[in-house]
Amino acid sequence: MQPTSSYCMLLPIPSCSHFISFPLQLPGTIMAAAHLLFSREYLRCSVCLDLFQNPVTIPCGHSFCLGCIEQCWARLGAPASCPQCRTFFEPTPRLCKNHILTQLVQDLASSTLNLLVPCDSCLGQRIKILSSYPACMTTCLTHLGNGMDGLAHNSPQLTEGAERQCLRHDKFRALFCTTDQSYICLECLQEEHKGHSAICEEDGEKQLQSFPLKELQRGIQCAEDEICSLQTEMNAIKIATLRDKEELTKSFSDMIQMVKSAQGKVQHFMEGLEQAALIRVEVKLQQLMEKREAMLQSKEKLDQLSEPGSDMQLLQYLEGLKVESKPISNRSCPAEDFGSAHLTKVLTEFKEQLHHLCKKHMDRIMQKAFEVPVSSRELLPGIQNRALLSMKPRRRADFLHYVRKLTLDLNTIHRNLFLMAGNRKMTCKLQPQAYPEHPERFDHFTQVLCQERFSSGRHYWEVQLSGNQVGIGVSYWSIQRKGHERSCLLGRNAQSWCLEWNSSRCTAWHKNQKTLIPKCHHDKLGVFLDYNAGTLSFYEAADGMALIHTFQATFDEPLCPIFFLSWNSFVTIGESSANTTNFQKQFSADF
């Protein structure tokens, strides 16, 4: 005989303060089935959230439906990974049926909570227990007793049993099918409702009591916090804009004052030159006037000596007059150096240089100060083009506003890297190149740094990749260059971040930690560095700019673009090349 356990359920009597006791005599096998039902969460697949269908267990210990795990792996591609703990498996493990879980699911499906025991008033007829009254006497609804006619009407607990009885399987409908919005029994779940999402009544009541209200309150609080944050951000933007406007006005006023000061200095200098030139001319004029006066006096004297009888005195005077009348050496007039044509030429050159300076540096000033697209002509009124709001670029045209021209540092390039096309393309060859010795050169791993060092702002560059394996990313200048240690390789240390590419997949590396990126077949990539935000992102360089991977970090030093190439791999910096295949064929012959 199977052991039994006794349970009682209490229902209030509407006409008094007493309760009705419902003793439930449960056989041991039924108790085990009930325990399985209460433990149903352990028999649900974490992918479809339904009871296991052909359960299998993978090497990490988690179990799933056979169809669910096969569908996940088919969608994600190689290598296979656990949908729950994200553990990777290489090669893909063989899926075997878990017979224990299968049996537990079958036992749960065949169990019943629809307990049928004899009613004390029905002379042996086995019906569902609804109540016991009085003295713990098992009683059906029909024989609940005199004076209790209104109890069934006033107590939903009693009437619900009859309404929840499954007519097809003659079992209590203990589950609620959320797909069809109806109550079902366990056998219904295995037949016409197979594959549907179902919950038990207890779970539904718990969700009704806790989940919606808490989630709603949490959503309201999050919305209020977000509104407050946005209002604070708007106020901060207004304050920052006002401060920047004041600083802008002051800066341009200072520059205008500098130009006016330069104008005053030039005018003062020209006035000094004018005064000096006038003094020299006045001195020369005075000398000429004195000379003319002397010559007039000499002429008058000659007229007097021209009278008869004064020949000897005339000859003596003429001899002295020759000495006095020696010509004063002529000098070029200083006024020739102060012509209006010369001044106009100097001022015209100054204006042209000032105009060129403004045109060349104004966009750079705006980009550095506000992080806006380079062309100021695109700054139109409206929220979509606010200069002070640094919007995240989405299209390729937006990224090209931050494009940078990279220059390979020949002092760091490995000897097996071969440059071509004006140092815009490179490949890895077996024959070392004749690069001079330098302490900053990579001596083991075939890598090269760029001369550019980014310590703020946004920066973008594109690369065309082909061949066996290529690594692209950024690194601190302090990366180790000498030796065979793995820490010298890009992404295997704390000083660098990289994306390793080959024709079948990509992997992201940092601090020697690998992140697999499935189904990455792009051969033209865009690298976007937002130093201030601490992000390094890799995109497919196309109109859609599909995101491949993003690193989030706090950068402490200036960052340099860096490249790693394996044998017979090619990299083109800045633009795609239609002749990449030709280069491969040409240089593969040399290997």
Side-chain angles (χ1 to χ4, degrees), residues 355-590:
H355 176 72
H356 177 71
L357 181 67
C358 292
K359 183 178 180 180
K360 179 179 179 181
H361 295 285
M362 185 56 61
D363 289 337
R364 294 179 59 187
I365 292 173
M366 294 180 64
Q367 183 184 7
K368 284 289 184 182
F370 306 117
E371 284 296 328
V372 297
V374 174
S375 178
S376 60
R377 294 189 299 269
E378 297 182 4
L379 297 178
L380 302 176
I383 190 172
Q384 69 276 13
N385 287 304
R386 289 183 182 175
L388 296 181
L389 292 179
S390 180
M391 304 299 291
K392 184 177 180 180
R394 297 182 181 274
R395 301 171 302 166
R396 185 167 180 264
D398 300 331
F399 284 90
L400 292 178
H401 290 309
Y402 306 99
V403 70
R404 301 290 180 264
K405 182 178 181 181
L406 302 183
T407 304
L408 297 176
D409 192 327
L410 300 183
N411 293 331
T412 64
I413 188 170
H414 190 274
R415 295 183 183 276
N416 289 94
L417 295 181
F418 180 78
L419 301 178
M420 52 190 133
N423 296 347
R424 308 302 299 170
K425 301 177 184 177
M426 57 181 168
T427 185
C428 182
K429 301 180 62 175
L430 295 180
Q431 297 85 355
Q433 306 302 307
Y435 299 128
E437 293 290 341
H438 200 281
E440 296 180 348
R441 190 176 308 284
F442 290 99
D443 63 355
H444 179 69
F445 294 104
T446 50
Q447 301 178 136
V448 59
L449 286 166
C450 292
Q451 295 181 0
E452 289 72 20
R453 303 186 188 186
F454 305 126
S455 58
S456 64
R458 293 178 167 184
H459 313 275
Y460 176 76
W461 60 94
E462 293 181 350
V463 289
Q464 183 81 20
L465 311 175
S466 62
N468 295 327
Q469 186 173 359
V470 177
I472 59 175
V474 296
S475 169
Y476 294 149
W477 187 258
S478 58
I479 186 174
Q480 188 175 350
R481 326 254 177 110
K482 307 297 182 181
H484 299 69
E485 292 81 5
R486 188 175 177 84
S487 59
C488 299
L489 182 60
L490 176 62
R492 275 60 170 188
N493 48 64
Q495 291 81 34
S496 59
W497 297 257
C498 86
L499 186 76
E500 280 193 1
W501 173 95
N502 59 39
S503 58
S504 61
R505 65 180 182 181
C506 290
T507 52
W509 287 89
H510 177 58
K511 291 184 178 180
N512 204 28
Q513 299 295 322
K514 178 175 70 172
T515 302
L516 182 64
I517 303 172
K519 295 184 178 180
C520 180
H521 305 294
H522 320 301
D523 57 0
K524 185 177 181 181
L525 305 182
V527 184
F528 181 66
L529 171 64
D530 192 336
Y531 190 98
N532 298 334
T535 59
L536 175 67
S537 302
F538 299 88
Y539 293 87
E540 177 187 359
D543 293 336
M545 295 300 291
L547 178 63
I548 300 174
H549 185 73
T550 296
F551 288 103
Q552 184 72 46
T554 300
F555 303 125
D556 301 324
E557 304 176 23
L559 293 170
C560 306
I562 186 172
F563 299 93
F564 163 80
L565 288 83
S566 65
W567 173 77
N568 202 23
S569 297
F570 291 79
V571 170
T572 302
I573 304 175
E575 58 183 359
S576 61
S577 174
N579 299 323
T580 302
T581 304
N582 296 334
F583 279 116
Q584 286 181 314
K585 294 180 180 179
Q586 175 183 353
F587 287 96
S588 295
D590 299 335

